[in-house]
Amino acid sequence: MAFLSIVPPIVAVLLAIMTKRVLLSLFISIWVGGLIAAGGNPFTAVANTFNWMKDVMTDPWNARFLVLTALLGSGAAFMFKTGGSEALIKVLEKKLTTKKRAQLLPFILGIIIFFNDYVNSVIVGNASKDVTAKHKVSREKLSYILDATAAPMATLGPVSDWIGFQVSLIAAAFASLSIAGAEPYFAFLHSIPWNFYAILCLLSVPMIILGKDFGPMAKAEKRAQTTGKLIPEGGTPLSSVEHDLGEPFKNQSTIWNFLLPLMTLIVVSLWGLWYTGGGPDGKSLMEALADTDVAVALSWAAFAMTLVGIVLAICQGVSLKDCEETLLGGIRTMLPALVIIVLAWSIGTVCEQLGTADYVVQATESWMTPALLPFLIFVIGMFISFATGTSWGTMSILTPIAVPLAYSIGGIEMVHIIIGSVFAGSIFGDHISPISDTTVMASIFAGSDHIAHVNTQVPYAAVPAVISGGLFLSTSFIHNGLILLVLGIIVQFLVLRFLGKQHEKKRLRSNSEIGF
Protein backbone atom coordinates (compact mmCIF):
# COMPACT_ATOMS: atom_id res chain seq x y z
CA MET A 1 0.00 0.00 0.00
CA ALA A 2 1.98 2.93 -1.37
CA PHE A 3 0.00 5.57 0.52
CA LEU A 4 1.50 4.27 3.79
CA SER A 5 4.80 5.82 2.69
CA ILE A 6 3.55 9.26 3.76
CA VAL A 7 2.57 8.09 7.27
CA PRO A 8 6.00 8.34 9.04
CA PRO A 9 6.69 12.02 8.21
CA ILE A 10 3.09 12.92 9.10
CA VAL A 11 3.46 11.09 12.45
CA ALA A 12 6.73 12.96 13.10
CA VAL A 13 5.20 16.37 12.52
CA LEU A 14 1.91 15.74 14.37
CA LEU A 15 3.61 14.19 17.40
CA ALA A 16 6.18 16.98 17.57
CA ILE A 17 3.45 19.62 17.55
CA MET A 18 1.22 17.75 20.03
CA THR A 19 3.86 16.65 22.54
CA LYS A 20 6.48 19.39 21.96
CA ARG A 21 9.06 16.60 22.39
CA VAL A 22 10.90 16.50 19.08
CA LEU A 23 13.36 13.70 19.94
CA LEU A 24 10.65 11.29 21.05
CA SER A 25 8.44 12.22 18.08
CA LEU A 26 11.19 11.61 15.55
CA PHE A 27 12.18 8.30 17.09
CA ILE A 28 8.58 7.02 17.12
CA SER A 29 8.06 8.08 13.50
CA ILE A 30 11.22 6.20 12.46
CA TRP A 31 9.94 3.11 14.27
CA VAL A 32 6.55 3.50 12.51
CA GLY A 33 8.46 3.54 9.21
CA GLY A 34 10.32 0.42 10.30
CA LEU A 35 7.01 -1.23 11.16
CA ILE A 36 5.63 -0.50 7.68
CA ALA A 37 8.83 -1.74 6.03
CA ALA A 38 8.75 -4.89 8.17
CA GLY A 39 5.17 -5.71 7.24
CA GLY A 40 3.90 -5.14 10.79
CA ASN A 41 6.59 -7.04 12.76
CA PRO A 42 7.43 -4.79 15.78
CA PHE A 43 10.76 -6.51 16.53
CA THR A 44 12.03 -6.18 12.97
CA ALA A 45 10.82 -2.56 13.13
CA VAL A 46 13.20 -1.92 16.06
CA ALA A 47 16.06 -3.51 14.11
CA ASN A 48 15.22 -1.36 11.06
CA THR A 49 15.14 1.76 13.23
CA PHE A 50 18.66 1.30 14.60
CA ASN A 51 20.04 0.10 11.28
CA TRP A 52 18.83 3.30 9.61
CA MET A 53 20.31 5.41 12.42
CA LYS A 54 23.62 3.57 12.07
CA ASP A 55 23.62 4.04 8.30
CA VAL A 56 23.10 7.81 8.44
CA MET A 57 25.80 8.26 11.09
CA THR A 58 28.39 6.26 9.14
CA ASP A 59 27.67 7.95 5.82
CA PRO A 60 30.87 9.95 5.01
CA TRP A 61 29.06 13.23 4.30
CA ASN A 62 26.87 12.93 7.40
CA ALA A 63 29.77 11.96 9.66
CA ARG A 64 31.71 15.02 8.54
CA PHE A 65 28.65 17.19 9.10
CA LEU A 66 28.34 15.93 12.69
CA VAL A 67 32.01 16.78 13.28
CA LEU A 68 31.45 20.17 11.63
CA THR A 69 28.50 20.94 13.93
CA ALA A 70 30.48 19.94 17.03
CA LEU A 71 33.43 22.13 15.97
CA LEU A 72 31.13 25.08 15.32
CA GLY A 73 29.91 24.70 18.89
CA SER A 74 33.49 24.80 20.14
CA GLY A 75 34.32 27.83 18.01
CA ALA A 76 31.28 29.68 19.33
CA ALA A 77 32.25 28.67 22.89
CA PHE A 78 35.67 30.30 22.58
CA MET A 79 34.12 33.47 21.17
CA PHE A 80 31.91 33.62 24.25
CA LYS A 81 34.45 32.58 26.89
CA THR A 82 37.18 34.95 25.66
CA GLY A 83 34.75 37.87 25.89
CA GLY A 84 34.29 38.41 22.16
CA SER A 85 30.48 38.32 22.33
CA GLU A 86 30.46 40.78 25.24
CA ALA A 87 32.82 43.14 23.37
CA LEU A 88 30.57 43.02 20.31
CA ILE A 89 27.57 44.12 22.37
CA LYS A 90 29.50 47.08 23.75
CA VAL A 91 30.41 48.20 20.22
CA LEU A 92 26.94 47.75 18.75
CA GLU A 93 24.72 48.89 21.64
CA LYS A 94 25.50 52.55 20.92
CA LYS A 95 24.11 52.23 17.39
CA LEU A 96 21.40 49.60 17.87
CA THR A 97 19.31 51.77 20.16
CA THR A 98 15.88 50.33 19.33
CA LYS A 99 14.38 46.86 19.16
CA LYS A 100 13.67 47.18 15.43
CA ARG A 101 17.28 48.12 14.71
CA ALA A 102 18.48 45.16 16.75
CA GLN A 103 16.29 42.84 14.65
CA LEU A 104 17.54 44.35 11.39
CA LEU A 105 21.11 43.38 12.35
CA PRO A 106 20.64 39.61 11.75
CA PHE A 107 18.66 40.32 8.58
CA ILE A 108 21.40 42.53 7.09
CA LEU A 109 24.14 40.10 8.14
CA GLY A 110 22.08 37.29 6.61
CA ILE A 111 22.07 39.13 3.28
CA ILE A 112 25.85 39.61 3.41
CA ILE A 113 26.67 35.96 4.29
CA PHE A 114 25.14 34.49 1.14
CA PHE A 115 27.56 31.74 0.15
CA ASN A 116 26.35 28.95 2.49
CA ASP A 117 23.23 28.56 4.63
CA TYR A 118 25.00 26.74 7.50
CA VAL A 119 27.74 29.36 7.77
CA ASN A 120 25.02 32.02 7.58
CA SER A 121 23.24 30.60 10.65
CA VAL A 122 26.50 30.26 12.61
CA ILE A 123 27.81 33.76 11.92
CA VAL A 124 24.52 35.66 12.10
CA GLY A 125 23.29 33.77 15.16
CA ASN A 126 26.48 34.34 17.13
CA ALA A 127 26.76 37.97 16.06
CA SER A 128 23.20 38.93 16.94
CA LYS A 129 22.08 36.61 19.75
CA ASP A 130 23.33 38.72 22.65
CA VAL A 131 22.48 42.05 21.01
CA THR A 132 18.86 41.04 20.36
CA ALA A 133 18.58 39.58 23.88
CA LYS A 134 19.49 42.99 25.29
CA HIS A 135 16.43 44.41 23.51
CA LYS A 136 14.23 41.50 24.67
CA VAL A 137 13.75 39.97 21.24
CA SER A 138 12.38 36.46 21.73
CA ARG A 139 14.53 33.55 20.60
CA GLU A 140 11.64 32.45 18.37
CA LYS A 141 11.82 35.76 16.48
CA LEU A 142 15.60 35.56 16.08
CA SER A 143 15.47 31.95 14.85
CA TYR A 144 12.77 32.97 12.34
CA ILE A 145 14.99 35.75 10.98
CA LEU A 146 17.93 33.32 10.67
CA ASP A 147 15.82 30.64 8.99
CA ALA A 148 14.08 33.04 6.60
CA THR A 149 17.34 34.51 5.30
CA ALA A 150 19.81 31.57 5.23
CA ALA A 151 18.43 29.27 2.50
CA PRO A 152 16.76 32.00 0.38
CA MET A 153 20.00 34.00 0.23
CA ALA A 154 22.04 30.89 -0.57
CA THR A 155 19.79 30.12 -3.53
CA LEU A 156 19.60 33.75 -4.75
CA GLY A 157 23.06 35.09 -3.90
CA PRO A 158 25.63 35.68 -6.66
CA VAL A 159 27.86 32.74 -5.70
CA SER A 160 27.10 29.83 -3.38
CA ASP A 161 27.32 26.06 -3.08
CA TRP A 162 23.51 26.01 -3.48
CA ILE A 163 23.73 27.67 -6.88
CA GLY A 164 26.49 25.29 -7.95
CA PHE A 165 24.33 22.35 -6.94
CA GLN A 166 21.22 23.72 -8.65
CA VAL A 167 23.09 24.45 -11.89
CA SER A 168 24.49 20.89 -11.88
CA LEU A 169 20.92 19.50 -11.66
CA ILE A 170 19.79 21.71 -14.55
CA ALA A 171 22.81 20.64 -16.60
CA ALA A 172 22.01 16.95 -16.05
CA ALA A 173 18.37 17.51 -17.07
CA PHE A 174 19.44 19.41 -20.21
CA ALA A 175 21.90 16.65 -21.12
CA SER A 176 19.13 14.04 -20.91
CA LEU A 177 17.02 16.14 -23.31
CA SER A 178 19.92 16.96 -25.66
CA ILE A 179 18.83 20.62 -25.78
CA ALA A 180 21.17 22.36 -28.24
CA GLY A 181 22.67 25.70 -27.16
CA ALA A 182 21.00 25.76 -23.72
CA GLU A 183 23.37 27.06 -21.05
CA PRO A 184 22.44 25.70 -17.57
CA TYR A 185 23.74 28.73 -15.67
CA PHE A 186 21.77 31.16 -17.80
CA ALA A 187 18.68 28.97 -17.40
CA PHE A 188 19.19 29.28 -13.65
CA LEU A 189 19.44 33.08 -13.93
CA HIS A 190 16.23 33.18 -15.99
CA SER A 191 14.49 31.09 -13.31
CA ILE A 192 15.27 33.54 -10.45
CA PRO A 193 12.23 35.82 -11.00
CA TRP A 194 10.06 32.68 -10.92
CA ASN A 195 11.48 31.56 -7.55
CA PHE A 196 8.66 33.47 -5.90
CA TYR A 197 8.85 31.90 -2.46
CA ALA A 198 12.56 32.55 -1.86
CA ILE A 199 12.26 36.21 -2.86
CA LEU A 200 8.99 36.88 -1.02
CA CYS A 201 10.21 35.04 2.08
CA LEU A 202 13.36 37.16 2.14
CA LEU A 203 11.41 40.40 1.71
CA SER A 204 8.85 39.41 4.35
CA VAL A 205 11.51 39.65 7.08
CA PRO A 206 11.99 43.47 6.99
CA MET A 207 8.26 43.90 6.33
CA ILE A 208 7.52 42.05 9.58
CA ILE A 209 10.34 43.67 11.57
CA LEU A 210 9.27 47.19 10.58
CA GLY A 211 5.58 46.32 10.86
CA LYS A 212 3.70 44.45 13.57
CA ASP A 213 3.88 40.83 14.69
CA PHE A 214 0.85 38.54 14.59
CA GLY A 215 -0.09 34.98 15.53
CA PRO A 216 2.05 32.87 17.90
CA MET A 217 5.08 35.11 17.24
CA ALA A 218 3.25 38.12 18.66
CA LYS A 219 2.61 36.15 21.86
CA ALA A 220 6.28 35.16 22.05
CA GLU A 221 7.37 38.78 21.58
CA LYS A 222 4.90 39.98 24.23
CA ARG A 223 6.23 37.35 26.66
CA ALA A 224 9.82 38.41 26.06
CA GLN A 225 8.99 42.11 26.37
CA THR A 226 6.88 41.87 29.54
CA THR A 227 8.64 39.07 31.46
CA GLY A 228 12.14 39.06 29.97
CA LYS A 229 11.80 35.33 29.21
CA LEU A 230 13.33 34.82 25.77
CA ILE A 231 12.11 31.20 25.50
CA PRO A 232 8.68 29.84 26.55
CA GLU A 233 8.03 28.35 29.96
CA GLY A 234 9.24 24.74 29.89
CA GLY A 235 11.09 25.30 26.63
CA THR A 236 14.59 23.93 26.08
CA PRO A 237 17.03 25.77 23.80
CA LEU A 238 18.90 23.45 21.43
CA SER A 239 22.10 25.20 22.43
CA SER A 240 22.76 27.40 25.46
CA VAL A 241 26.34 28.61 25.57
CA GLU A 242 25.78 30.59 28.76
CA HIS A 243 24.24 27.62 30.60
CA ASP A 244 26.82 25.07 29.45
CA LEU A 245 29.93 27.24 29.73
CA GLY A 246 29.32 29.63 32.61
CA GLU A 247 30.82 33.13 32.78
CA PRO A 248 33.49 34.40 30.33
CA PHE A 249 37.14 34.30 31.41
CA LYS A 250 38.21 37.30 33.50
CA ASN A 251 40.73 38.47 30.94
CA GLN A 252 40.97 41.64 28.89
CA SER A 253 39.10 41.08 25.65
CA THR A 254 38.38 43.03 22.48
CA ILE A 255 35.97 42.70 19.58
CA TRP A 256 38.78 40.86 17.74
CA ASN A 257 38.01 37.86 19.93
CA PHE A 258 34.73 37.75 18.04
CA LEU A 259 35.77 38.97 14.60
CA LEU A 260 38.95 36.95 14.02
CA PRO A 261 37.32 33.49 14.45
CA LEU A 262 34.41 34.56 12.21
CA MET A 263 36.69 36.01 9.56
CA THR A 264 38.65 32.76 9.65
CA LEU A 265 35.43 30.78 9.18
CA ILE A 266 34.41 32.89 6.16
CA VAL A 267 37.81 32.89 4.43
CA VAL A 268 38.52 29.18 4.95
CA SER A 269 34.94 28.30 3.92
CA LEU A 270 35.25 30.17 0.62
CA TRP A 271 38.70 28.76 -0.07
CA GLY A 272 37.60 25.22 0.91
CA LEU A 273 34.51 25.32 -1.33
CA TRP A 274 36.70 26.41 -4.27
CA TYR A 275 39.53 23.97 -3.49
CA THR A 276 37.48 20.80 -2.92
CA GLY A 277 35.48 21.52 -6.07
CA GLY A 278 38.57 21.39 -8.24
CA GLY A 279 39.44 25.07 -8.42
CA PRO A 280 43.23 24.37 -8.48
CA ASP A 281 42.66 22.10 -11.52
CA GLY A 282 41.46 25.04 -13.59
CA LYS A 283 37.69 24.71 -13.13
CA SER A 284 35.61 27.87 -13.27
CA LEU A 285 34.12 29.14 -10.02
CA MET A 286 30.63 27.82 -10.86
CA GLU A 287 32.03 24.44 -11.93
CA ALA A 288 34.02 24.22 -8.70
CA LEU A 289 30.96 25.10 -6.63
CA ALA A 290 28.90 22.47 -8.48
CA ASP A 291 31.46 19.77 -7.64
CA THR A 292 32.52 20.99 -4.19
CA ASP A 293 32.45 18.83 -1.07
CA VAL A 294 30.56 21.11 1.31
CA ALA A 295 31.04 18.94 4.40
CA VAL A 296 34.82 18.72 3.95
CA ALA A 297 35.24 22.42 3.16
CA LEU A 298 33.14 23.59 6.09
CA SER A 299 34.78 21.09 8.47
CA TRP A 300 38.14 22.66 7.63
CA ALA A 301 36.65 26.09 8.23
CA ALA A 302 35.08 25.12 11.58
CA PHE A 303 38.38 23.57 12.72
CA ALA A 304 40.28 26.71 11.70
CA MET A 305 37.74 28.86 13.56
CA THR A 306 38.14 26.77 16.72
CA LEU A 307 41.95 26.81 16.41
CA VAL A 308 42.00 30.61 16.18
CA GLY A 309 39.76 30.75 19.27
CA ILE A 310 42.20 28.54 21.19
CA VAL A 311 45.20 30.65 20.13
CA LEU A 312 43.46 33.87 21.18
CA ALA A 313 42.54 32.34 24.53
CA ILE A 314 46.14 31.21 25.19
CA CYS A 315 47.42 34.67 24.19
CA GLN A 316 45.10 36.11 26.86
CA GLY A 317 46.66 33.86 29.50
CA VAL A 318 43.95 31.19 29.61
CA SER A 319 45.32 27.85 30.81
CA LEU A 320 45.37 24.73 28.61
CA LYS A 321 43.03 23.07 31.12
CA ASP A 322 40.45 25.84 30.67
CA CYS A 323 40.89 25.69 26.90
CA GLU A 324 40.20 21.95 26.93
CA GLU A 325 37.11 22.43 29.11
CA THR A 326 35.84 25.15 26.77
CA LEU A 327 36.41 22.92 23.76
CA LEU A 328 34.41 20.08 25.31
CA GLY A 329 31.80 22.47 26.67
CA GLY A 330 31.20 23.81 23.16
CA ILE A 331 30.64 20.28 21.86
CA ARG A 332 28.32 19.63 24.81
CA THR A 333 26.12 22.61 23.84
CA MET A 334 25.53 20.90 20.50
CA LEU A 335 24.54 17.44 21.78
CA PRO A 336 20.73 17.96 21.60
CA ALA A 337 21.09 19.34 18.08
CA LEU A 338 23.36 16.48 17.00
CA VAL A 339 20.80 13.91 18.17
CA ILE A 340 17.98 15.73 16.33
CA ILE A 341 20.07 15.90 13.15
CA VAL A 342 20.72 12.12 13.26
CA LEU A 343 17.02 11.39 13.81
CA ALA A 344 16.01 13.85 11.06
CA TRP A 345 18.37 12.13 8.62
CA SER A 346 16.91 8.79 9.67
CA ILE A 347 13.34 9.86 8.89
CA GLY A 348 14.67 10.98 5.51
CA THR A 349 16.03 7.47 5.00
CA VAL A 350 12.64 6.05 6.00
CA CYS A 351 10.98 8.15 3.29
CA GLU A 352 13.56 7.01 0.76
CA GLN A 353 13.09 3.33 1.67
CA LEU A 354 9.29 3.56 1.52
CA GLY A 355 9.26 5.63 -1.68
CA THR A 356 7.44 8.66 -0.24
CA ALA A 357 8.59 11.05 -2.99
CA ASP A 358 7.75 8.59 -5.78
CA TYR A 359 4.26 8.09 -4.38
CA VAL A 360 3.59 11.85 -4.18
CA VAL A 361 4.77 12.41 -7.77
CA GLN A 362 2.77 9.45 -9.14
CA ALA A 363 -0.36 10.45 -7.21
CA THR A 364 -0.39 13.90 -8.84
CA GLU A 365 0.89 13.03 -12.33
CA SER A 366 -2.58 12.82 -13.85
CA TRP A 367 -3.31 16.44 -12.89
CA MET A 368 -0.34 17.83 -14.87
CA THR A 369 -1.83 20.30 -17.37
CA PRO A 370 0.15 23.27 -18.79
CA ALA A 371 -1.90 25.72 -16.71
CA LEU A 372 -1.48 23.77 -13.46
CA LEU A 373 2.05 22.43 -13.92
CA PRO A 374 3.99 25.27 -12.19
CA PHE A 375 1.56 25.29 -9.26
CA LEU A 376 1.53 21.49 -8.87
CA ILE A 377 5.32 21.23 -9.03
CA PHE A 378 5.51 23.94 -6.35
CA VAL A 379 3.03 22.11 -4.09
CA ILE A 380 4.69 18.71 -4.63
CA GLY A 381 8.07 20.25 -3.82
CA MET A 382 6.62 21.76 -0.65
CA PHE A 383 5.25 18.43 0.53
CA ILE A 384 8.33 16.33 -0.29
CA SER A 385 10.75 18.79 1.32
CA PHE A 386 8.50 19.15 4.38
CA ALA A 387 8.21 15.38 4.77
CA THR A 388 11.88 14.60 4.18
CA GLY A 389 13.44 17.75 5.65
CA THR A 390 15.78 18.28 2.71
CA SER A 391 15.55 20.90 -0.01
CA TRP A 392 18.55 19.52 -1.91
CA GLY A 393 17.04 16.03 -1.87
CA THR A 394 13.73 17.42 -3.15
CA MET A 395 15.48 19.31 -5.94
CA SER A 396 17.34 16.11 -6.88
CA ILE A 397 14.06 14.19 -7.08
CA LEU A 398 11.95 16.75 -8.93
CA THR A 399 14.36 18.43 -11.37
CA PRO A 400 14.93 15.33 -13.59
CA ILE A 401 11.14 14.78 -13.72
CA ALA A 402 9.85 18.35 -13.98
CA VAL A 403 12.30 19.83 -16.51
CA PRO A 404 11.67 17.27 -19.31
CA LEU A 405 7.92 17.49 -18.63
CA ALA A 406 8.02 21.29 -18.87
CA TYR A 407 10.11 21.20 -22.05
CA SER A 408 7.66 18.85 -23.75
CA ILE A 409 4.70 21.04 -22.78
CA GLY A 410 5.99 24.58 -23.30
CA GLY A 411 9.59 24.62 -24.47
CA ILE A 412 12.48 26.47 -22.83
CA GLU A 413 10.27 29.29 -21.48
CA MET A 414 8.21 26.80 -19.48
CA VAL A 415 11.47 25.19 -18.28
CA HIS A 416 12.55 28.50 -16.67
CA ILE A 417 9.21 28.74 -14.84
CA ILE A 418 9.38 25.13 -13.65
CA ILE A 419 12.96 25.45 -12.41
CA GLY A 420 11.78 28.38 -10.30
CA SER A 421 8.80 26.43 -8.97
CA VAL A 422 10.97 23.39 -8.10
CA PHE A 423 13.39 25.52 -6.11
CA ALA A 424 10.60 27.57 -4.49
CA GLY A 425 8.69 24.48 -3.27
CA SER A 426 11.88 22.81 -2.08
CA ILE A 427 12.88 25.82 0.01
CA PHE A 428 9.43 26.31 1.58
CA GLY A 429 9.10 22.75 2.89
CA ASP A 430 12.67 22.76 4.13
CA HIS A 431 12.09 26.15 5.78
CA ILE A 432 9.19 25.06 8.01
CA SER A 433 9.89 21.35 8.50
CA PRO A 434 10.85 20.45 12.10
CA ILE A 435 13.14 17.72 10.72
CA SER A 436 15.05 20.04 8.37
CA ASP A 437 18.74 20.54 9.11
CA THR A 438 18.51 24.27 8.30
CA THR A 439 15.56 24.67 10.69
CA VAL A 440 17.56 22.86 13.38
CA MET A 441 20.61 25.06 12.70
CA ALA A 442 18.47 28.20 13.11
CA SER A 443 17.21 26.92 16.47
CA ILE A 444 20.75 26.05 17.58
CA PHE A 445 22.39 29.37 16.86
CA ALA A 446 19.45 31.48 17.98
CA GLY A 447 19.31 29.51 21.26
CA SER A 448 15.63 28.73 20.66
CA ASP A 449 13.38 25.89 21.70
CA HIS A 450 13.03 23.96 18.45
CA ILE A 451 9.28 23.28 18.44
CA ALA A 452 8.57 26.85 19.55
CA HIS A 453 10.63 28.04 16.58
CA VAL A 454 8.66 25.84 14.17
CA ASN A 455 5.25 26.77 15.58
CA THR A 456 5.86 30.52 15.53
CA GLN A 457 7.37 30.74 12.06
CA VAL A 458 4.76 28.64 10.19
CA PRO A 459 2.23 31.53 9.89
CA TYR A 460 5.00 33.87 8.72
CA ALA A 461 6.16 31.37 6.09
CA ALA A 462 2.58 30.62 5.04
CA VAL A 463 1.97 34.17 3.79
CA PRO A 464 4.67 34.18 1.07
CA ALA A 465 3.86 30.52 0.32
CA VAL A 466 0.15 31.15 -0.34
CA ILE A 467 0.96 34.22 -2.42
CA SER A 468 3.55 32.20 -4.36
CA GLY A 469 0.94 29.53 -5.07
CA GLY A 470 -1.39 32.20 -6.45
CA LEU A 471 1.39 33.60 -8.63
CA PHE A 472 2.18 30.17 -10.07
CA LEU A 473 -1.50 29.70 -10.90
CA SER A 474 -1.38 33.06 -12.71
CA THR A 475 1.47 32.03 -15.04
CA SER A 476 -1.01 30.72 -17.62
CA PHE A 477 -2.27 34.25 -18.39
CA ILE A 478 0.57 36.50 -17.13
CA HIS A 479 3.78 35.31 -18.76
CA ASN A 480 6.19 37.86 -17.27
CA GLY A 481 7.83 36.70 -14.05
CA LEU A 482 8.94 40.19 -13.00
CA ILE A 483 5.39 41.57 -13.28
CA LEU A 484 4.06 38.69 -11.20
CA LEU A 485 6.83 39.19 -8.65
CA VAL A 486 6.06 42.90 -8.25
CA LEU A 487 2.36 42.07 -7.80
CA GLY A 488 3.31 39.44 -5.21
CA ILE A 489 5.47 41.91 -3.26
CA ILE A 490 2.63 44.47 -3.16
CA VAL A 491 0.08 41.85 -2.07
CA GLN A 492 2.43 40.51 0.60
CA PHE A 493 3.05 43.98 2.03
CA LEU A 494 -0.70 44.61 2.27
CA VAL A 495 -1.47 41.18 3.75
CA LEU A 496 1.26 41.43 6.41
CA ARG A 497 0.13 44.95 7.28
CA PHE A 498 -3.49 43.81 7.56
CA LEU A 499 -2.62 40.80 9.77
CA GLY A 500 -0.44 42.97 12.02
CA LYS A 501 -3.18 45.59 12.43
CA GLN A 502 -5.82 42.95 13.11
CA HIS A 503 -3.72 41.42 15.86
CA GLU A 504 -3.09 44.87 17.35
CA LYS A 505 -6.83 45.64 17.35
CA LYS A 506 -7.56 42.30 18.99
CA ARG A 507 -4.92 42.99 21.66
CA LEU A 508 -6.27 46.46 22.42
CA ARG A 509 -9.83 45.13 22.59
CA SER A 510 -8.72 42.38 24.99
CA ASN A 511 -6.90 44.89 27.20
CA SER A 512 -9.94 47.18 27.36
CA GLU A 513 -12.18 44.27 28.37
CA ILE A 514 -9.98 43.39 31.35
CA GLY A 515 -9.76 47.00 32.47
CA PHE A 516 -6.45 48.23 31.09
Side-chain angles (χ1 to χ4, degrees):
M1 292 183 287
F3 74 90
L4 289 176
S5 64
I6 64 172
V7 170
I10 291 174
V11 168
V13 173
L14 291 179
L15 277 179
I17 293 170
M18 290 166 58
T19 66
K20 301 191 183 332
R21 301 265 65 95
V22 67
L23 295 177
L24 180 64
S25 302
L26 285 172
F27 184 83
I28 290 173
S29 67
I30 296 165
W31 179 81
V32 168
L35 191 67
I36 295 169
N41 187 319
F43 301 105
T44 305
V46 172
N48 286 340
T49 298
F50 287 104
N51 278 334
W52 287 329
M53 291 172 65
K54 178 264 296 179
D55 289 342
V56 298
M57 285 190 285
T58 55
D59 174 82
W61 198 99
N62 291 351
R64 288 191 186 100
F65 184 81
L66 294 175
V67 172
L68 153 70
T69 305
L71 285 172
L72 288 173
S74 294
F78 277 102
M79 288 161 58
F80 173 78
K81 289 290 282 184
T82 56
S85 301
E86 194 173 13
L88 180 72
I89 293 176
K90 290 177 181 176
V91 170
L92 293 177
E93 65 185 355
K94 296 175 183 177
K95 297 180 179 179
L96 302 178
T97 53
T98 67
K99 184 176 179 180
K100 289 187 186 296
R101 286 187 181 183
Q103 291 176 81
L104 285 172
L105 172 66
F107 172 70
I108 293 168
L109 288 176
I111 298 295
I112 295 170
I113 311 299
F114 55 77
F115 58 89
N116 180 268
D117 55 331
Y118 295 149
V119 177
N120 185 304
S121 296
V122 175
I123 293 175
V124 179
N126 282 309
S128 55
K129 188 162 62 173
D130 295 329
V131 176
T132 53
K134 207 168 184 65
H135 289 274
K136 296 182 180 179
V137 177
S138 68
R139 294 306 195 201
E140 294 97 317
K141 186 71 173 289
L142 177 58
S143 57
Y144 156 71
I145 296 171
L146 297 187
D147 214 352
T149 53
M153 267 316 298
T155 196
L156 296 171
V159 177
S160 74
D161 55 324
W162 276 63
I163 293 174
F165 175 73
Q166 290 166 330
V167 170
S168 71
L169 294 176
I170 297 168
F174 281 6
S176 70
L177 289 171
S178 302
I179 303 176
E183 171 57 47
Y185 184 62
F186 287 110
F188 166 76
L189 293 177
H190 282 294
S191 76
I192 289 176
W194 302 100
N195 191 345
F196 298 132
Y197 179 75
I199 297 170
L200 292 177
C201 177
L202 199 60
L203 293 177
S204 70
V205 178
M207 289 179 184
I208 289 168
I209 291 173
L210 298 174
K212 297 181 186 299
D213 288 301
F214 59 90
M217 189 71 79
K219 294 178 181 177
E221 285 294 275
K222 182 181 178 182
R223 181 203 68 232
Q225 203 64 38
T226 56
T227 69
K229 294 179 180 178
L230 302 184
I231 62 172
E233 193 72 39
T236 306
L238 280 192
S239 174
S240 177
V241 174
E242 298 85 349
H243 180 268
D244 291 331
L245 299 175
E247 293 296 315
F249 298 127
K250 301 300 180 183
N251 301 78
Q252 187 176 4
S253 62
T254 70
I255 194 171
W256 291 108
N257 292 91
F258 187 92
L259 293 180
L260 282 178
L262 284 188
M263 289 165 62
T264 301
L265 181 68
I266 293 171
V267 171
V268 178
S269 292
L270 288 170
W271 174 81
L273 291 169
W274 171 81
Y275 184 86
T276 59
D281 300 328
K283 289 185 179 180
S284 69
L285 183 59
M286 290 311 303
E287 288 174 336
L289 287 173
D291 295 334
T292 193
D293 192 325
V294 177
V296 171
L298 297 188
S299 294
W300 292 348
F303 174 72
M305 174 194 185
T306 303
L307 190 61
V308 169
I310 293 172
V311 170
L312 288 173
I314 292 172
C315 290
Q316 288 178 223
V318 177
S319 68
L320 289 176
K321 179 177 180 292
D322 285 338
C323 284
E324 184 181 78
E325 288 179 355
T326 301
L327 182 75
L328 295 174
I331 295 173
R332 192 163 53 245
T333 65
M334 293 296 184
L335 283 179
L338 291 169
V339 175
I340 285 180
I341 288 169
V342 169
L343 292 174
W345 284 336
S346 300
I347 193 68
T349 301
V350 171
C351 292
E352 184 181 337
Q353 293 287 326
L354 298 181
T356 304
D358 292 337
Y359 169 71
V360 173
V361 172
Q362 289 168 11
T364 54
E365 236 172 2
S366 60
W367 308 343
M368 299 290 186
T369 64
L372 286 178
L373 184 61
F375 173 75
L376 288 175
I377 292 295
F378 174 62
V379 171
I380 293 168
M382 288 167 58
F383 184 84
I384 294 174
S385 58
F386 182 82
T388 60
T390 167
S391 51
W392 282 30
T394 304
M395 293 172 193
S396 300
I397 292 165
L398 280 182
T399 304
I401 299 169
V403 169
L405 188 60
Y407 189 69
S408 66
I409 290 175
I412 196 69
E413 293 301 321
M414 178 62 80
V415 167
H416 296 156
I417 298 171
I418 291 304
I419 291 172
S421 68
V422 167
F423 295 162
S426 300
I427 291 169
F428 168 78
D430 183 60
H431 181 198
I432 67 164
S433 174
I435 61 174
S436 159
D437 51 358
T438 49
T439 308
V440 172
M441 291 288 277
S443 295
I444 294 171
F445 292 102
S448 173
D449 177 86
H450 187 51
I451 297 303
H453 164 46
V454 173
N455 288 343
T456 51
Q457 87 164 352
V458 166
Y460 282 8
V463 172
V466 171
I467 294 171
S468 297
L471 295 178
F472 281 121
L473 283 172
S474 304
T475 56
S476 60
F477 52 89
I478 300 178
H479 306 296
N480 189 308
L482 288 174
I483 292 174
L484 284 170
L485 186 58
V486 171
L487 288 173
I489 292 169
I490 294 170
V491 170
Q492 177 170 272
F493 174 78
L494 295 174
V495 169
L496 291 174
R497 190 176 179 185
F498 171 76
L499 292 172
K501 284 187 174 181
Q502 286 298 108
H503 182 87
E504 184 70 10
K505 286 181 182 177
K506 186 178 177 183
R507 184 185 66 82
L508 292 173
R509 195 182 307 119
S510 175
N511 287 344
S512 64
E513 286 174 358
I514 59 176
F516 282 102

